[in-house]
Amino acid sequence: MVASKINKEIGIISAINGPVIKGKNMSSFKMREMVTVGEKQLIGEVIVLEGDIGTVQVYEETEGLKTGEVIIPTGRPLSLKLGPGLLKNMFDGIQRPLKKIQEISPVYIPEGIGLMSIDEKKLWDTTITAKLGDVLAEGNIFGLVQETEVIQNRLMVPPNVSGTVVEVVKNGLYTIEAVLVKIQDEKKEIKELKMAQEWPVRTPRPNAYRRETLVPLITGQRVIDIFFPIAKGGTAAIPGGFGTGKTMTQHQLAKWSDADIIVYIGCGERGNEMTEVIEEFPKLLDPQSGKSIMERTVLIANTSNMPVAAREASIYTGVTIAEYYRDMGYAVALMADSTSRWAEALREISGRLEEMPAEEGYPAYLPSRIAEFYERAGSVETLGGGEGSITIIGAVSPAGGDFSEPVTENTKRFVNVFLALDKNLAYARHYPAINWLESYSGYIKILSDWYEDNVAEDCIELRNKMLELLYEENKLLEMVMLVGEDVLPDDQRWILEIAKIIKVGYLQQNAYNKEDTYVPLEKQYAMLKSIEYLYEKGREGLKLGIPTSQLKDIDIFNQFIKMKYTIPNDDLGGIDRLKDDIDRFYDKLLKKYVD
Amino acid sequence: MKKEYLKIDKVIGPLIEISEVDDVFYGEVVDIVDIDTGSIKKGKVIKIEEKNVIIQVFQNTAGLAAGNSIIKFTGEAFNLPMSLDLQGRIFNGVGEPIDNGSAIFSAIEANINGRPINPMSREYPRNFIQTGISSIDTLATLIRGQKLPIFSGNGLPHNELAAQIVKQAQLGENTGEVFGVVFAAIGVKHDDEKFFRKSFSEANIMDHVVMFVNYADDPIAERITTPRCALTAAEYLAFEKNMHILVVMTDMTSYCEALREISSAREEVPSRKGYPGYMYSDLASLYERAGMLKDRKGSITFLPILTMPNDDITHPIPDLTGYITEGQIVLGRDLFQRSIYPPVAVLPSLSRLMKDGIGEGFTREDHADVTNQLFASYSKVQEVRALSQIIGEEDLSQTDKKYMAFGRAFEAEFLNQGFDESRNMIESLDLGWQLLSLLPLTELDRLSPENIEKYFSQES
Ligand SMILES: Nc1ncnc2c1ncn2[C@@H]1O[C@H](COP(=O)(O)OP(=O)(O)O)[C@@H](O)[C@H]1O
Ligand SMILES: [Mg+2]
């Protein structure tokens, strides 16, 4: 290692400005090359090269650096080590395991601890599926490792590598760096295949082609699954001012989504929120597998007090890991909380480079960076011929809660689902505070077949009808605010009553309640259908001239408000009984009026 | 040997620029010695470009000029000596004693910038602190190890509220737990600092208070180091000496303004309202120092105070703060004008950590229900009030009239309490139920049947 470095040119630090440093004598360095900086060997990346002068962003605290110290090239771009050991683990923005860092330093994260990644000593029980003489192309699977209780790591031939198998090891215990298979390519060169592969973080991993996204990501959250669904392989943004519920929503999605793999990036947010995830996730069981949700989860944490350059990288680290599992044929869901902190990291670095700012100090390339990130989502045919997908759900933290700021605006252009969090709903403790008037899903059309086939024939129709009722309510409420409720005609007051049930009994979903935190689609549909049933029963009464005050039975209404808690997820009999109550009450009432 | 320089090229606000400098490091502390008087100002290297160095001076730069000062590079980062003897002492914003006491001597020195806590090493905070204030305890419960700022406005009684919390909070209720207060005053009036000092001594805790004071007429740049010195002391006492530390810091708005002033002196590209783009990260480097650690007994609970310019919660200072802290207690001017103390604006107030620290085994099983219902009902009060402004209270529906009555009682009896009045958690929750009983049961859709059964009683 050292010998090869000595032959190369070594840069000399000439300027230091926070996380951005400049060096001389760097003409032989490459753009985006990873370097080590100074005596402490801080990790950095070359971001500008102009003749002899290079600019490096440093992923660790730069206090203590001096001009004249060296910048040493590594000969490769900032890369990740992709292999078994990613799951159940938490990494910093440049894939260093925080657990290992803790072993080096028990409390605080020091600088100069060097590069490290997934465990290189751990022995994995490996099954080799490739046989001598097999022809392997890029993306083909040559072995299997049970990475966690629920996820099998499919060992893939890395992109741009192919050939005929000339050597295989026996099944057994191996480390990620052991050579498992040797293949000979067309040029008769021998290539070694290991469990782990390296991949530069900023380069999207290739796939065969993009497929259409036709299946929803089931989240167990009513307002999302029924009203604003996210397609597997799709993109969604969750913008909202502080305290409106971005993190809670992201956590709910990470816990309950029916993805195979979850990559959760805590990008520039609170340390305690990551601690909460580490403490809580192992105890929660995935409704699909029945095993701990941690078994399928990778965590990336660059909390708000960690170095800002690594925040910029954390997003790419997360999405590259997501692509790695996608390439094995898994459905991956990636949550980034918050993409605004990443955008701010871009802004800070840009400012230190003295680039021309565009809006609010953000660099002019902000929109293209956001687009590139969300474009790494998608449903694909993998190189190996399988199907995989990445769904990206990004939280956005608009300055002042104002959605017209650059990050929200530009994100809106590149995502298909917009879950707008509303301060006033949050103030009234209507959670999740997703505003049904401002939010939208661009996937309703392409997913409607799926809902019709898998939930109910009229599922989307019902959804549209109920959403229209909420729109109608909004108009009526504006009127009420001017004249009071008493002057509204009965049919309109009935709409207000039903809308209230939808809001309190249906859209509000309590993440802290055992029964309500995750709700299967079947119950989601049945609940909404029963609300429609009540609505229509009441309308029959209205036609007979029955006033709303009589149509509203306190007991039935109460049952609707509480049904999310009282009707167990695995026994919907209560909904039928509720319908019986409705029938009994209205039959009696209507009869009275008909007579 | 460390070099000394005589030549100052430029003075720009709190910054000085010198050239032809060798062998200094980023973040290095410099002493700027006045040739005539021998007095020393402290500064820190904040940018190095070839042989040019920019130094941020923590004291006043007025009068600094080429030729009248010697710049000495100390070869040290900004470290402070740490010791239990910090308690009961008063320091300025760079950690020098201003109480005529002796300097702190200790072999243990800590860099005031701290280092990020590894999330793996944190302990998620779960124990509530009873402040004796109904609105906070019930609706925005303070958790030990939480960072919970008070968002206030000019002239509002945030100092009184903070002092009342310090006085009433049961920080180390269990035997053997030692508590202490670290107080940082940033750009405050002498009166405000005196007020706090008085309330600490009235609470008989002066021996456990460490104070760092930067007055309104003290140098701006020193405001940058004041909170860092304070948090360094807090970290030492909490995580090395197992104490439960409450950090009270006022006024974070002065801190942010100092940050802006230095940024503009550096000619950096500003983001909103002229504040630097890195203000979020900078504030986070302070707030994230609060918390609890696995394997350490102590804790840092952080109660910063900020005044919202123009009472505007969307202003970058409260906005960025709210994005980092674990909730906020917002004070409202309208409540204050109606003589309600403490004027806690309930709806925008939030404690993000309360969810794990309340309920059965912590406070009482009905706590979450009561909180949610009070929030929901009081938010409905706002709507009804808006309507009554238009159509008049007489023309409101029966139910809406009850909301009006509930709203008034809630403010007068629940929010309003004496500066010396401490209510325990149970009293506050019971009071909440009492007020909710002013509303028809049909309106109370956040309460579980079991809790209604147990706690709800309605006369008539
Ligand atoms: N679905 C939910 N159920 C219950 N409480 C919620 C829900 N969403 C948000 N909250 C409440 O709102 C608070 C703030 O939510 P959080 O996700 O941290 O906001 P943000 O990330 O937008 O700042 C949480 O601490 C919690 O009390
Ligand atoms: Mg959040």
Side-chain angles (χ1 to χ4, degrees), chain A residues 78-80 82 159-160 197-201 203-206 320 323:
Chain A
L78 181 69
S79 302
L80 302 183
L82 301 169
N160 309 318
Q197 38 179 288
E198 284 198 15
W199 191 261
V201 281
T203 313
R205 285 173 63 90
T320 303
E323 284 171 344

Side-chain angles (χ1 to χ4, degrees), chain B residues 75-353:
Chain B
E76 304 274 339
F78 203 134
N79 295 324
L80 278 190
M82 287 294 129
S83 143
L84 281 172
D85 297 339
L86 289 166
Q87 296 178 92
R89 299 293 307 277
I90 306 174
F91 305 91
N92 66 11
V94 287
E96 297 161 349
I98 50 169
D99 55 1
N100 300 319
S102 58
I104 301 287
F105 287 102
S106 171
I108 302 164
E109 293 214 332
N111 186 322
I112 64 159
N113 288 326
R115 282 291 177 269
I117 298 176
N118 188 334
M120 294 298 275
S121 310
R122 284 184 188 269
E123 169 89 34
Y124 192 76
R126 288 177 205 280
N127 298 330
F128 81 96
I129 297 174
Q130 179 175 301
T131 67
I133 295 159
S134 292
S135 48
I136 295 175
D137 288 349
T138 316
L139 303 172
T141 318
L142 177 64
I143 303 291
R144 184 191 269 182
Q146 182 171 20
K147 37 189 180 289
L148 189 64
I150 299 174
F151 285 10
S152 187
N154 285 315
L156 297 183
H158 42 263
N159 289 347
E160 286 79 358
L161 179 59
Q164 188 174 5
I165 293 173
V166 170
K167 198 169 61 182
Q168 295 179 178
Q170 296 171 355
L171 287 163
E173 75 265 48
N174 298 337
T175 44
E177 292 184 335
V178 196
F179 82 99
V181 172
V182 172
F183 176 74
I186 309 166
V188 300
K189 292 178 291 211
H190 288 257
D191 286 351
D192 290 337
E193 187 265 332
K194 261 204 209 96
F195 169 83
F196 275 103
R197 209 190 297 202
K198 190 164 146 258
S199 54
F200 294 147
S201 66
E202 278 171 8
N204 268 325
I205 54 171
M206 215 42 205
D207 291 348
H208 302 287
V209 180
V210 191
M211 292 179 74
F212 293 86
V213 182
N214 165 273
Y215 292 109
D217 49 4
D218 281 342
I220 298 280
E222 197 183 291
R223 293 179 191 161
I224 304 299
T225 50
T226 312
R228 291 183 165 81
C229 292
L231 287 161
T232 305
E235 277 173 350
Y236 173 78
L237 296 173
F239 302 140
E240 304 300 328
K241 295 293 162 198
N242 297 325
M243 291 175 68
H244 293 290
I245 298 296
L246 179 68
V247 177
V248 178
M249 214 172 258
T250 183
D251 177 346
M252 291 307 289
T253 303
S254 307
Y255 173 81
C256 293
E257 282 164 354
L259 210 58
R260 175 169 68 176
E261 195 168 325
I262 289 159
S263 171
S264 100
R266 294 181 70 175
E267 296 176 0
E268 292 170 334
V269 178
S271 66
R272 285 173 73 219
K273 293 211 155 100
Y275 291 93
Y278 50 78
M279 192 157 87
Y280 174 85
S281 298
D282 185 280
L283 286 171
S285 74
L286 303 177
Y287 293 135
E288 281 289 316
R289 292 171 80 168
M292 297 183 72
L293 298 174
K294 293 197 177 78
D295 316 321
R296 306 284 163 106
K297 289 204 193 77
S299 62
I300 299 177
T301 310
F302 194 175
L303 202 69
I305 298 168
L306 63 86
T307 45
M308 301 182 278
N310 295 318
D311 292 349
D312 177 10
I313 198 169
T314 69
H315 184 281
I317 296 172
D319 189 52
L320 294 179
T321 303
Y323 273 120
I324 305 163
T325 53
E326 286 148 343
Q328 63 279 339
I329 293 166
V330 183
L331 301 189
R333 193 164 300 277
D334 57 323
L335 290 167
F336 173 68
Q337 283 164 349
R338 284 187 281 135
S339 307
I340 289 161
Y341 173 87
V344 175
V346 165
L347 297 180
S349 297
L350 169 74
S351 163
R352 293 164 189 266
L353 298 187

Side-chain angles (χ1 to χ4, degrees), chain A residues 75-95:
Chain A
R76 60 200 174 101
L78 181 69
S79 302
L80 302 183
K81 191 156 278 180
L82 301 169
L86 287 166
L87 292 167
K88 296 168 77 170
N89 217 331
M90 178 155 77
F91 301 94
D92 76 357
I94 52 172
Q95 208 206 359

Side-chain angles (χ1 to χ4, degrees), chain A residues 193-253:
Chain A
L193 303 182
K194 301 172 180 177
M195 226 178 272
Q197 38 179 288
E198 284 198 15
W199 191 261
V201 281
R202 293 177 196 281
T203 313
R205 285 173 63 90
N207 55 68
Y209 59 89
R210 278 176 180 266
R211 311 163 56 94
E212 228 189 332
T213 49
L214 299 168
V215 182
L217 180 80
I218 306 298
T219 67
Q221 313 301 307
R222 289 184 291 266
V223 62
I224 297 177
D225 290 351
I226 294 286
F227 283 95
F228 308 109
I230 304 167
K232 276 198 179 129
T235 48
I238 310 179
F242 61 84
T244 52
K246 296 177 295 296
T247 304
M248 283 291 292
T249 309
Q250 293 276 44
H251 281 193
Q252 285 297 91
L253 297 181

